[in-house]
Amino acid sequence: MLDVNPDLVIITSEDKKIQYMNPKAIQKFGNCDKETSCHKFLFNFDIPCSWCAQKDAEIYENIQNEVIIPDDSKQYLVTFSKIQENSGKSSYLTSYKDVSELRQLQNERLQFFNALEVGLNEVYMLGQDFGIKYVNSVPVQNLGFSKSK
């Protein structure tokens, strides 16, 4: 199941050694070196990644952070989960989901609405029911139209 996951999936041991990488992770980072720590192998860091949540995964079931990986302009939603093994040892599953396109679309939408808000023309957006869904500040100033109505 992890092999067909479209996200980058990495499983590490308690001592931060890589135990498994799915094909997408191998494609991005190369073949796994199980003797080197994950932070050194993946990102060439001498210390654990600033977004590493291995300690917090002891307390919480799932932890999510958004990060931009060094040397990569993409933004990732990183999910950490603890895996309890039958032997009593723990492993940690880390998934990197590329959310760059989603964040870009959200940013463009915000810029669009900001431009509408400061524009000089009246802007009305109607819903499918022809009810007013959005009005910029011009009709509010010129006509006393309320955004709450």
Side-chain angles (χ1 to χ4, degrees):
M1 189 158 93
L2 295 176
D3 282 346
V4 296
N5 191 315
D7 302 332
L8 309 173
V9 177
I10 301 163
I11 297 176
T12 56
S13 63
E14 291 174 331
D15 61 352
K16 297 184 180 3
K17 304 285 192 232
I18 296 172
Q19 297 175 317
Y20 167 83
M21 293 173 67
N22 75 344
K24 286 285 189 181
I26 292 170
Q27 182 181 357
K28 175 151 184 70
F29 298 111
N31 284 319
C32 174
D33 176 1
K34 295 185 179 194
E35 297 301 314
T36 307
S37 65
C38 53
H39 50 272
K40 187 69 173 175
F41 175 76
L42 299 172
F43 308 111
N44 200 28
F45 292 167
D46 292 328
I47 59 174
C49 306
S50 61
W51 60 87
C52 182
Q54 186 170 320
K55 281 189 274 184
D56 295 332
E58 295 291 329
I59 301 167
Y60 304 103
E61 201 169 297
N62 273 330
I63 299 164
Q64 292 186 330
N65 295 317
E66 280 199 27
V67 299
I68 297 175
I69 293 178
D71 299 327
D72 187 343
S73 61
K74 295 181 180 178
Q75 191 163 355
Y76 292 89
L77 177 64
V78 183
T79 304
F80 301 90
S81 302
K82 180 180 177 180
I83 303 169
Q84 191 67 46
E85 298 175 14
N86 290 337
S87 66
K89 290 186 176 185
S90 298
S91 293
Y92 301 89
L93 186 142
T94 307
S95 171
Y96 291 81
K97 179 177 188 66
D98 185 352
V99 294
S100 303
E101 189 174 320
L102 175 63
R103 295 299 173 254
Q104 179 65 32
L105 290 171
Q106 288 173 333
N107 188 38
E108 289 171 5
R109 182 175 184 238
L110 180 62
Q111 289 175 358
F112 173 74
F113 279 105
N114 285 340
L116 288 178
E117 194 60 35
V118 298
L120 300 175
N121 296 319
E122 295 180 8
V123 176
Y124 301 88
M125 289 187 183
L126 304 178
Q128 290 180 335
D129 62 354
F130 297 104
I132 296 175
K133 299 296 181 190
Y134 172 82
V135 177
N136 72 344
S137 58
V138 177
V140 174
Q141 295 167 356
N142 294 346
L143 304 173
F145 190 87
S146 171
K147 286 187 171 193
S148 62
K149 290 183 182 179

